[in-house]
Amino acid sequence: MKKEIIINSTNEDTRIALLEDGKLVELFVERPDNERMVGDIYKGKVRKVVKGMQAAFIDIGFEQDAFLHFSDMGSNVNQLFADIDEELLETNGGDDVDPADLLRNGQEIVVQIIKEPISNKGPRVTTELTLPGRFVVLVPNQHRIGVSRKISSARERRRLRQMARKILPKNFGLIIRTVAEGKSDEVLKQDLQKLLKTWNKIQNKIKNSRAPMLLFKDLGMASSVIRDLFTKDVHRVVVDSRKMYRDIVKYLREVGSELHERVEYFKSKEPIFDVFHIEEEIQKSLQKKVWMKNGGYIIIEHTEALTVVDVNSGRYFGKKDHERNSLKINLEAAREIARQLRLRDVGGLIVIDFIDMLEENNKQKVLNELRKEFARDRAVTKIEGMSRFGLVEMTRQRIRPSLIYNINEPCPLCEGSGLVPTKGTILANIERALRRYVATDLDRRIILRAHPNVVEYLNNKRLSRRLRLMWKYWIKIDTEEDPTLKPFEFRILIKKTREDVTERFVY
């Protein structure tokens, strides 16, 4: 498989595309007002402990408090508190302590963001801190040494473990990354020393700062993608910014990586994302309907609770055998669904409605194809079996908001529902408000202020909807156009005083 990283940098944003065999599979977008937060370390203050949720809410200076689940607190959490109940720890020997007993409102604690804020939810945090470098990840207050599973050689894994034991100070753990394969002890030691210096700076800030306080800011999106994703299996990195090209090459040379030779500066009058056909793929990823090459299509619907994917045969005309046709469409859909969910960065619960098949063997083929495609995904996925209705339930690790929320914002008219009231519904709402109005002793002469389209609908000469309302409720209605109102909004004013009384009659 041919992997490429394409980077487009403008004054407004930086977009990083990951291509596999020329197909867009992942897209990262970073803007000055929406910078990457995962990996940032904060000194926070416990706002509230909720035992029923097995969690606590931590004030780290955001509008929404961070969410700390007790399962994310780790075994050495006591080393990250500004103050703890020492007596409780001594009594229990540090083991089997209920996290809720360690936490109390107003207490200071050090946490790291592991999931970005989504919708009205604050970021999710952990007390198990990590400091990522190019070749290793430093884990303070731990003792384990881990080696990337992608390093397949048993001899190389053993060498890296032995090397880590030699250079690692006490009270630290280490995770050795895939790109460390074949690297000398000296190169890895240099990477570790940089991380240890960073940790010392963080410790000084912990002692001398008051919560809430940012203690450590991880690399920006572009730098972190190069650090985490630019491995030997990446064919090349193409950048359209001369400054970013120089920064990436400089960084790779500093950490002793020979991959700097695979970085290319893109010089062309055409936009880089147009040349690599990425722009059109981004536009497709924002649509609900995605067409497949065989004529079938999938529908992707986002809801607050889950994401639903529906597979349809569309324009596909296969042989007469319905079972074989369904299998062909479902196999192609499984590949496209995996690509789209990765590209859109969809997380949480996902339900896929495949076309019905009768044979268990065919159902298993579709599941195997789905699992094979998601094996390339860096996010953790869990896929359940197919139900008798052709439904597959799965979950995908959610780290940051879905792509659609990075690029788009909710419509100010429909507020994200995609629907607005029809003109008939608006007229019915107006009539209900008028009926409540005439039940009072207020003046029977009013001004109805509405959007120009609604005023035109009311004053239609042929149907005369306004006159019909006047005769029905024995009330004088003058209309006023107000383009600032939404198409389904209206205001009721008493004509004599121009007092706005809408709130009393519109529920």
Side-chain angles (χ1 to χ4, degrees), residues 48-216:
K48 191 177 184 181
V49 179
V50 186
K51 287 190 177 183
M53 292 176 65
Q54 289 288 290
F57 291 92
I58 315 295
D59 175 18
I60 60 172
F62 288 19
E63 188 176 341
Q64 297 287 340
D65 289 338
F67 179 80
L68 172 65
H69 195 272
F70 291 165
S71 63
D72 293 320
M73 287 181 65
S75 55
N76 291 301
V77 65
N78 55 299
Q79 299 184 47
L80 303 171
F81 285 106
D83 56 326
I84 61 168
D85 192 335
E86 298 288 351
E87 187 178 337
L88 177 66
L89 287 173
E90 288 174 9
T91 304
N92 290 274
D95 298 322
D96 300 322
V97 179
D98 186 349
D101 294 330
L102 286 175
L103 296 169
R104 56 180 178 272
N105 295 347
Q107 186 175 23
E108 292 187 337
I109 184 173
V110 180
V111 293
Q112 186 170 30
I113 295 178
I114 53 175
K115 288 185 182 178
E116 304 250 2
I118 297 173
S119 185
N120 59 350
K121 298 176 183 176
R124 182 160 180 166
V125 295
T126 178
T127 59
E128 294 191 304
L129 310 185
T130 57
L131 290 178
R134 172 63 179 166
F135 302 109
V136 299
V137 178
L138 185 67
V139 189
N141 307 313
Q142 296 284 346
H143 308 285
R144 58 189 171 86
I145 296 172
V147 181
S148 169
R149 292 179 184 176
K150 291 183 180 179
I151 300 176
S152 55
S153 168
R155 179 181 291 180
E156 179 65 5
R157 292 173 68 87
R158 189 163 53 249
R159 180 188 78 85
L160 291 169
R161 280 185 186 277
Q162 289 172 351
M163 178 273 302
R165 290 191 186 101
K166 289 178 185 176
I167 64 174
L168 194 61
K170 286 184 179 180
N171 256 355
F172 287 97
L174 202 68
I175 300 169
I176 300 172
R177 312 183 77 149
T178 309
V179 287
E181 187 175 6
K183 297 299 176 191
S184 67
D185 291 9
E186 188 59 34
V187 168
L188 300 183
K189 191 174 182 179
Q190 286 176 6
D191 201 29
L192 175 62
Q193 290 303 318
K194 288 179 185 176
L195 296 176
L196 287 170
K197 284 181 182 178
T198 303
W199 176 244
N200 288 334
K201 290 177 183 177
I202 291 171
Q203 283 189 308
N204 287 332
K205 286 185 179 180
I206 291 173
K207 293 174 185 176
N208 301 317
S209 63
R210 295 182 63 183
M213 173 64 70
L214 174 65
L215 303 175
F216 168 76

Side-chain angles (χ1 to χ4, degrees), residues 407-438:
I407 295 177
N408 294 335
E409 61 183 20
C411 167
L413 294 181
C414 68
E415 296 179 347
S417 71
L419 301 168
V420 293
T422 63
K423 287 188 175 70
T425 302
I426 298 166
L427 185 60
N429 291 337
I430 290 171
E431 184 170 348
R432 277 188 279 272
L434 291 177
R435 188 168 184 173
R436 296 182 190 112
Y437 181 90
V438 298

Side-chain angles (χ1 to χ4, degrees), residues 150-350:
K150 291 183 180 179
I151 300 176
S152 55
S153 168
R155 179 181 291 180
E156 179 65 5
R157 292 173 68 87
R158 189 163 53 249
R159 180 188 78 85
L160 291 169
R161 280 185 186 277
Q162 289 172 351
M163 178 273 302
R165 290 191 186 101
K166 289 178 185 176
I167 64 174
L168 194 61
K170 286 184 179 180
N171 256 355
F172 287 97
L174 202 68
I175 300 169
I176 300 172
R177 312 183 77 149
T178 309
V179 287
E181 187 175 6
K183 297 299 176 191
S184 67
D185 291 9
E186 188 59 34
V187 168
L188 300 183
K189 191 174 182 179
Q190 286 176 6
D191 201 29
L192 175 62
Q193 290 303 318
K194 288 179 185 176
L195 296 176
L196 287 170
K197 284 181 182 178
T198 303
W199 176 244
N200 288 334
K201 290 177 183 177
I202 291 171
Q203 283 189 308
N204 287 332
K205 286 185 179 180
I206 291 173
K207 293 174 185 176
N208 301 317
S209 63
R210 295 182 63 183
M213 173 64 70
L214 174 65
L215 303 175
F216 168 76
K217 179 75 180 169
D218 199 7
L219 295 176
M221 183 71 74
S223 302
S224 67
V225 166
I226 294 300
R227 181 191 66 197
D228 300 339
L229 297 185
F230 191 16
T231 51
K232 287 181 180 178
D233 61 342
V234 175
H235 180 69
R236 61 175 175 167
V237 172
V238 187
V239 196
D240 68 352
S241 162
R242 196 178 292 276
K243 181 182 182 302
M244 188 170 287
Y245 166 78
R246 287 197 297 263
D247 290 345
I248 291 171
V249 171
K250 182 183 176 185
Y251 167 72
L252 291 171
R253 280 176 173 161
E254 282 178 354
V255 297
S257 173
E258 72 282 357
L259 293 177
H260 67 269
E261 296 174 357
R262 301 189 190 181
V263 183
E264 301 175 13
Y265 172 63
F266 177 83
K267 188 176 181 181
S268 171
K269 290 181 179 179
E270 282 189 84
I272 187 170
F273 272 25
D274 289 356
V275 171
F276 286 88
H277 307 291
I278 297 170
E279 207 68 68
E280 57 194 71
E281 285 297 322
I282 294 173
Q283 294 309 311
K284 287 179 185 176
S285 73
L286 301 176
Q287 298 169 5
K288 290 182 181 180
K289 181 184 284 190
V290 180
W291 287 97
M292 297 181 289
K293 286 183 179 178
N294 61 17
Y297 66 89
I298 59 176
I299 299 286
I300 302 174
E301 288 276 5
H302 298 274
T303 72
E304 187 74 20
L306 50 80
T307 299
V308 182
V309 184
D310 185 34
V311 181
N312 295 277
S313 56
R315 297 189 293 257
Y316 177 77
F317 296 104
K319 297 180 180 179
K320 290 182 179 180
D321 186 345
H322 173 75
E323 184 76 8
R324 188 180 296 178
N325 292 345
S326 299
L327 176 61
K328 272 193 168 184
I329 297 166
N330 284 340
L331 287 173
E332 179 68 23
R335 292 186 280 271
E336 188 60 31
I337 287 166
R339 186 175 82 91
Q340 288 293 332
L341 295 185
R342 287 178 66 191
L343 172 56
R344 297 168 189 238
D345 208 5
V346 175
L349 180 61
I350 300 157

Side-chain angles (χ1 to χ4, degrees), residues 23-69:
K23 283 188 173 182
L24 179 64
V25 293
E26 290 188 49
L27 181 71
F28 307 88
V29 181
E30 184 175 49
R31 295 189 176 92
D33 60 343
N34 186 27
E35 291 186 341
R36 182 175 184 268
M37 297 179 189
V38 172
D40 295 352
I41 299 174
Y42 285 84
K43 184 176 186 179
K45 189 174 287 187
V46 178
R47 178 90 74 179
K48 191 177 184 181
V49 179
V50 186
K51 287 190 177 183
M53 292 176 65
Q54 289 288 290
F57 291 92
I58 315 295
D59 175 18
I60 60 172
F62 288 19
E63 188 176 341
Q64 297 287 340
D65 289 338
F67 179 80
L68 172 65
H69 195 272

